[in-house]
Amino acid sequence: MEEKIRITIDGREVTANPEQTILEAARENGIFIPTLCQYADTTNVGACRVCVVEVEKARTLVASCCMPVSAGMVVRTDTKAVRDAQRMIVELLWASGDHNCLVCEKNGNCELQDLVYWLGIEKPRFPIESPGYEIEKTNSMIVRDLNKCVLCGRCVRACNEIQVNEVLDFSLRGSRAKVGPAFDSDYIASECYFCGECVDACPVGAITFAQARFGGRPWELEKVRTTCTYCGVGCQLDLNINKGKIVKVTGNRDYGPPNQGSLCIKGRFAMDFVQHPDRLQRPLIRKNGELTEATWEEAYDLIARNLSAIKEEHGPDSIAGFASARCTNEENYLFQKFMRAVIGTNNVDHCARL
Amino acid sequence: MEEPMIGSIPTMQEIPFFAHQKLRVLRNRGIIDPGKIEEYIARDGYLGLAKALTEMTPAEIIKEVTASGLRGRGGAGFPTGLKWQFCSQSKGDVKYVLCNADEGDPGAFMDRSVLEADPHAVLEGMVIAARAIGAHYGYIYCRAEYPLAIHQLNIAIAQARECGLLGKDILGTGFDFDLEIYQGAGAFVCGEETALMTSIEGKRGMPRPRPPFPAVAGLWGKPSVLNNVETFASVAQIVLKGAAWYASVGTEKSKGTKVFALTGDVNNVGLVEVPMGTTLRTIVYEIGGGIPGGKKFKAAQLGGPSGGCIPAEHLDASVDYEKVAELGAIMGSGGLIVMNEDKCIVDIARFFIDFCQDESCGKCTPCREGTKRMLQILTGITEGKGREGDIELLQEMAVIIKNSSLCGLGQTAPNPILSTIRYFRDEYEAHIREGRCPAGVCTALKRYTVDAEKCTGCGVCAKVCPTKAAKGEKKQPHEIDQATCIKCGVCMEKCKFEAIFVN
Ligand SMILES: Cc1cc2nc3c(=O)[nH]c(=O)nc-3n(C[C@H](O)[C@H](O)[C@H](O)COP(=O)(O)O)c2cc1C
Ligand code: FES
């Protein structure tokens, strides 16, 4: 373990680890510094400059998200110069696009809105000018409205550093700079895999879930943790539910392994089968050649009786079990246990081996 | 002027343009054939390298360069010896020496000139730097718009390799160093050191936060030294002739000479190399030969698009890093644009911020959005839409943008605005409060007016005016309706009695 060092933040002496940034040290000690472009597990790029602080003897303000602490450092997070800069930066961002919360899917869960509120800005000093990009609705999964983009680059890093899909990057320069796939194409025409990592990363309403549009406001959604049913990895996810209906699926980094909040296209966008009207919800038993609805008890009973009879008459090896990749690891484990210990056969396999 | 008599053609030293110059970096320009290494060698070329490699330890090289007081010529004026020392102290067996030949400042061409006319001087400086820090590979980041420079460099590199001055076992000393040219695609921001390295790495040229500094983690995360062309071109002479020789000219903190690209409203334009501390007046009036057409000097923009305007009252200021910064400009790479009284200062500030906005990489908010809004406000002022409070807002923005931007581009972009407000606030106010452009440049603020005394009522103006803004009774003084006038100026041009003027 490295030696701890001492630094002073807002007059409080705190200890920090020399590998830490000012932001990390402040957070660890319960001192709030606003951020926007900073996104855990990706490079600290220092793009938005919302996290600036004053550091004694530094020539300029310092972006706390990418400045390492050093022994004896004296930091102030709440001076007039800091607040003036933060206010100006947020006003500039606000005025740079179509940040109209009335119709924004992120209303109530928007980091720009939070910043405006926290800084108490009534209105930007600059005329609001939206770039006028066409809203990208070319696919059924992700909607992109670059008029709301604050160019924090979180989607770019999510795409390149977390999922390593390398689809998104910046193009053009100055105030015309924008984010997107190569050659300014839309998502569907690009190499995009539709993992949706960029949607989760976007702090504002620039990249949103197409399926969730008008499906419920952030405060109406109930999040239910579950395990993805698409493969055995067991990704943890949050079903966002409004009035008993799944509106969207979001990753949750707090759940940690195995997926650390990341998802794939299936887990992210293909949960709508859950509420499909054709979905089988009760067991069916063929009676007189007709499939008829039955209770679970009847169904289990029938299975147990038939399997026991076959086993009795032909021996356990006359039975084979075939499990599904769409069950969890635990379910598959139970299934093989059932085949081996209850039925007494090693005839058990899984569709993932086909 | 007296006709010079045959036989009394003045020597170069008698011509003020040359007399006040001291050629060190440009010493070989126009004298040697840059395509022949022998000619460079004949002018003591590669002697500095030989000395560095055979008689000096890396620490001694760094000591000499530090003692010379050489400061980076690419902009910030960071002490070169110190930079090398930091890098030499960084651990790692892979290090890089990089030459910044991006030269993005509009109107600046000193680096191009050195590369085209004396490429070996740069190569020699780079090998010495490599020896000092323990690097074995380097890059020259040269903008692709400099095909001749790249051509000459390629010839020079090939010849140096052939002569054993580059490549493996240089001069039989066992020291290896080779380099290649990396062509930049002409983004101004790629001259910024971290953006330059990101660009060489094959990524979009955008600056990254420091620390880590390049001396610790530069190109591909390896310790790197980046210096400007002119900086490298000074090194061999320092090593050969000694620190004391180099420091014998200049001021206390700014040693040696500096090349300026003198341009604008001045009689002699071009590259000039003068000792640090030469006054602006000497550069403009002695070397530059003054302002054409008997016009008055208004200001000099020093340091490129992110520099500042120095007004007439500071013509006697010494041009060195400290003084220039004190006056609100920067040395930059040495762009020096002279402006006469006909230039509108708000328009000038607008021009430079327009450049910075265009060239901002778009990564950080203050630079990307802030320069755009400053441009908008300045454009408004030049179009007569300025409002009370604009100057104060510009000042507030300028301070915040300088203070909170990620890289040097944003940190210096507001300089032209701050310095022009500092020295020419009255001109801003005239635009905003009186709707008047004192220099008569801003079209929207021009008022074509009829001098009733001179007007004979001939009616020509009314006839030629495309919007019928000029009107009046025959034989009576005419008038121009400002609301419909589109400031085309045709009335003034056609008036035989010079009765129409602009104010
Ligand atoms: C926006 C920007 C553009 C720059 N352009 C150049 C350039 O074209 N050439 C150059 O030598 N330095 C340029 N610099 C300065 C470099 O970042 C760096 O400081 C310099 O090359 C270091 O070399 P030096 O110490 O020899 O000056 C630029 C800096 C900034 C912020
Ligand atoms: S959060 Fe630090 S610069 Fe954006």
Side-chain angles (χ1 to χ4, degrees):
Chain A
M1 261 255 330
E2 285 209 53
E3 287 274 307
K4 288 260 182 191
I5 55 171
R6 292 187 163 277
I7 64 169
T8 309
I9 307 181
D10 294 342
R12 252 176 70 193
E13 199 167 284
V14 301
T15 54
N17 168 342
E19 303 282 288
Q20 274 179 325
T21 61
I22 297 176
L23 177 68
E24 287 162 347
R27 280 187 177 163
E28 212 171 81
N29 287 281
I31 298 165
F32 175 72
I33 300 174
T35 57
L36 187 62
C37 70
Q38 195 269 344
Y39 195 56
D41 302 327
T42 67
T43 313
N44 293 324
V45 290
C48 72
R49 317 305 282 176
V50 164
C51 69
V52 286
V53 294
E54 249 180 69
V55 173
E56 226 166 67
K57 298 205 188 78
R59 204 168 39 88
T60 60
L61 294 176
V62 162
S64 60
C65 70
C66 38
M67 178 62 77
V69 292
S70 57
M73 194 176 232
V74 179
V75 179
R76 297 219 64 102
T77 70
D78 57 359
T79 63
K80 180 169 182 317
V82 169
R83 288 291 178 266
D84 285 351
Q86 287 167 333
R87 196 162 285 134
M88 174 73 70
I89 288 164
V90 172
E91 281 181 55
L92 286 166
L93 287 174
W94 180 354
S96 74
D98 173 30
H99 299 294
N100 178 358
C101 309
L102 278 180
V103 288
C104 185
E105 211 43 65
K106 280 286 244 194
N107 180 21
N109 187 23
C110 167
E111 294 183 32
L112 182 65
Q113 195 181 51
D114 291 348
L115 282 169
V116 168
Y117 200 85
W118 184 72
L119 289 164
I121 305 172
E122 299 280 355
K123 169 170 165 231
R125 277 168 284 181
F126 313 99
I128 293 176
E129 285 166 358
S130 170
Y133 300 121
E134 204 173 313
I135 299 176
E136 183 184 313
K137 291 183 178 167
T138 47
N139 65 81
S140 59
M141 292 165 271
I142 297 174
V143 178
R144 282 203 312 155
D145 181 358
L146 291 185
N147 302 304
K148 293 182 165 40
C149 174
V150 289
L151 287 158
C152 65
R154 275 160 56 160
C155 56
V156 174
R157 277 171 282 138
C159 185
N160 292 279
E161 297 181 20
I162 297 179
Q163 292 272 355
V164 202
N165 285 340
E166 302 184 329
V167 174
L168 297 180
D169 206 340
F170 295 93
S171 61
L172 303 178
R173 277 205 294 262
S175 58
R176 292 176 307 280
K178 63 197 278 203
V179 152
F183 312 114
D184 215 9
S185 66
D186 55 22
Y187 271 26
I188 200 78
S190 75
E191 297 288 303
C192 176
Y193 297 78
F194 290 93
C195 64
E197 193 82 26
C198 55
V199 192
D200 268 351
C202 183
V204 292
I207 314 180
T208 50
F209 293 103
Q211 298 151 320
R213 183 73 175 136
F214 298 124
R217 330 292 292 278
W219 56 88
E220 295 171 318
L221 299 182
E222 186 197 345
K223 290 196 175 182
V224 176
R225 177 176 178 170
T226 189
T227 305
C228 180
T229 56
Y230 273 102
C231 79
V233 170
C235 290
Q236 299 300 292
L237 48 82
D238 275 335
L239 300 176
N240 290 235
I241 293 169
N242 186 16
K243 301 187 188 78
K245 225 179 143 226
I246 298 175
V247 171
K248 63 181 174 191
V249 175
T250 47
N252 190 331
R253 297 171 138 204
D254 292 342
Y255 298 157
N259 55 318
Q260 315 282 359
S262 292
L263 294 170
C264 75
I265 180 170
K266 294 197 264 181
R268 173 88 65 187
F269 295 108
M271 286 299 168
D272 44 358
F273 74 89
V274 174
Q275 50 223 14
H276 197 280
D278 292 351
R279 188 174 161 217
L280 206 54
Q281 289 178 324
R282 300 237 160 65
L284 301 177
I285 297 177
R286 203 178 293 278
K287 290 181 183 156
N288 306 324
E290 284 271 316
L291 284 171
T292 33
E293 225 169 63
T295 64
W296 286 105
E297 285 72 24
E298 284 178 84
Y300 287 136
D301 211 44
L302 180 69
I303 295 168
R305 250 187 294 122
N306 285 350
L307 284 180
S308 304
I310 294 167
K311 185 175 157 186
E312 195 110 319
E313 197 178 329
H314 303 288
D317 281 340
S318 64
I319 301 172
F322 201 70
S324 167
R326 292 191 55 178
C327 300
T328 63
N329 262 345
E330 292 77 359
E331 288 162 337
N332 276 308
Y333 174 81
L334 284 175
F335 186 69
Q336 64 82 31
K337 197 80 179 170
F338 169 78
M339 290 305 291
R340 292 197 167 101
V342 180
I343 305 285
T345 178
N346 284 328
N347 291 340
V348 58
D349 213 331
H350 184 284
C351 71
R353 286 200 339 125
L354 281 180
Chain B
M1 206 178 129
E2 252 180 88
E3 283 285 302
M5 288 190 315
I6 307 286
S8 72
I9 295 170
T11 64
M12 269 172 69
Q13 285 312 311
E14 285 163 356
I15 300 172
F17 181 76
F18 297 106
H20 292 278
Q21 293 200 48
K22 195 160 191 79
L23 302 188
R24 286 183 170 180
V25 170
L26 300 179
R27 71 189 183 103
N28 287 333
R29 185 175 68 141
I31 292 178
I32 63 165
D33 176 348
K36 295 206 173 92
I37 194 169
E38 301 80 4
E39 297 202 9
Y40 178 68
I41 291 172
R43 304 251 309 156
D44 292 346
Y46 289 109
L47 275 185
L49 168 67
K51 182 173 170 190
L53 256 51
T54 58
E55 297 170 27
M56 296 167 86
T57 62
E60 283 166 349
I61 300 174
I62 292 173
K63 211 169 137 213
E64 198 71 34
V65 174
T66 307
S68 76
L70 174 65
R71 294 170 65 173
R73 297 298 192 238
F78 192 83
T80 306
L82 199 56
K83 191 186 264 189
W84 292 12
Q85 191 185 333
F86 286 148
C87 192
S88 76
Q89 288 161 350
S90 291
K91 300 223 165 6
D93 43 1
V94 178
K95 294 184 184 180
Y96 295 102
V97 171
L98 313 171
C99 174
N100 192 339
D102 191 51
E103 196 156 59
D105 285 6
F109 58 105
M110 36 265 167
D111 294 348
R112 190 190 88 194
S113 182
V114 172
L115 293 171
E116 288 177 0
D118 201 10
H120 286 288
V122 179
L123 299 185
E124 189 179 358
M126 287 180 75
V127 185
I128 295 173
R131 170 72 176 159
I133 65 160
H136 302 292
Y137 207 77
Y139 290 86
I140 300 176
Y141 189 90
C142 186
R143 54 192 300 149
E145 293 94 325
Y146 282 179
L148 182 59
I150 292 168
H151 175 74
Q152 296 294 16
L153 268 174
N154 275 324
I155 295 175
I157 292 169
Q159 290 180 346
R161 279 198 193 121
E162 205 168 302
C163 297
L165 296 162
L166 208 54
K168 289 241 171 288
D169 193 18
I170 295 174
L171 291 175
T173 60
F175 179 67
D176 305 333
F177 179 73
D178 212 337
L179 53 76
E180 68 184 272
I181 301 171
Y182 191 95
Q183 294 192 30
F188 176 62
V189 73
C190 284
E192 194 279 337
E193 57 182 16
T194 59
L196 182 146
M197 292 177 211
T198 314
S199 175
I200 295 181
E201 289 168 7
K203 297 178 218 143
R204 177 180 156 94
M206 291 210 285
R208 41 194 199 219
R210 293 172 302 183
F213 288 93
V216 177
L219 182 62
W220 286 304
K222 304 292 181 196
S224 309
V225 151
L226 171 74
N227 279 121
N228 167 259
V229 169
E230 204 181 321
T231 314
F232 279 128
S234 308
V235 165
Q237 294 178 71
I238 291 172
V239 169
L240 185 62
K241 298 181 186 163
W245 166 82
Y246 188 79
S248 65
V249 301
T251 65
E252 193 199 333
K253 288 187 177 161
S254 305
K255 300 294 185 197
T257 58
K258 173 83 194 95
V259 184
F260 290 97
L262 185 61
T263 181
D265 302 318
V266 54
N267 280 311
N268 306 325
V269 296
L271 293 185
V272 302
E273 183 173 2
V274 291
M276 284 283 185
T278 304
T279 66
L280 195 55
R281 186 183 299 282
T282 306
I283 299 175
V284 174
Y285 285 95
E286 304 285 335
I287 299 174
I291 320 287
K295 298 266 183 189
K296 275 209 261 185
F297 172 91
K298 181 167 189 168
Q301 168 82 9
L302 189 56
S306 45
C309 275
I310 300 182
E313 70 217 63
H314 292 300
L315 264 172
D316 289 311
S318 139
V319 179
D320 60 65
Y321 288 106
E322 280 68 35
K323 187 70 193 171
V324 162
E326 186 193 313
L327 295 176
I330 58 170
M331 188 71 87
S333 58
L336 211 171
I337 304 168
V338 179
M339 290 171 268
N340 69 18
E341 54 193 324
D342 293 341
K343 297 288 178 294
C344 166
I345 213 73
V346 186
D347 189 50
I348 294 290
R350 197 195 62 79
F351 173 83
F352 287 121
I353 204 75
D354 189 19
F355 177 86
C356 290
Q357 158 60 37
D358 248 2
E359 294 294 335
S360 162
C361 78
K363 180 169 175 176
C364 81
T365 317
C367 180
R368 178 185 73 239
E369 303 296 338
T371 55
K372 173 179 154 187
R373 297 302 173 160
M374 291 202 296
L375 171 63
Q376 218 169 38
I377 296 170
L378 286 171
T379 306
I381 296 176
T382 60
E383 288 175 350
K385 297 177 201 143
R387 282 177 308 195
E388 212 48 59
D390 275 357
I391 300 179
E392 291 70 24
L393 180 57
L394 280 173
Q395 282 175 315
E396 186 192 338
M397 293 180 77
V399 170
I400 291 175
I401 294 169
K402 275 174 82 87
N403 216 358
S404 62
S405 290
L406 168 63
C407 87
L409 205 167
Q411 286 166 10
T412 54
N415 282 341
I417 296 182
L418 283 177
S419 74
T420 51
I421 294 179
R422 173 169 166 190
Y423 297 116
F424 299 96
R425 194 182 178 108
D426 53 338
E427 258 189 61
Y428 277 83
E429 286 169 351
H431 282 76
I432 296 171
R433 295 189 183 153
E434 302 160 34
R436 185 172 63 86
C437 171
V441 171
C442 299
T443 313
L445 297 180
K446 281 185 184 165
R447 289 173 68 90
Y448 286 86
T449 315
V450 179
D451 182 342
E453 305 259 294
K454 288 188 186 165
C455 177
T456 62
C458 73
V460 163
C461 55
K463 206 176 285 167
V464 297
C465 177
T467 59
K468 309 245 178 306
K471 51 191 165 211
E473 298 287 319
K474 265 249 172 284
K475 303 253 160 60
Q476 294 297 316
H478 279 43
E479 277 182 354
I480 295 170
D481 173 33
Q482 297 301 328
T484 44
C485 171
I486 55 163
K487 342 267 180 196
C488 68
V490 70
C491 54
M492 190 166 94
E493 212 174 280
K494 294 288 180 201
C495 178
K496 289 199 200 83
F497 308 97
E498 294 186 351
I500 299 179
F501 61 97
V502 195
N503 58 5

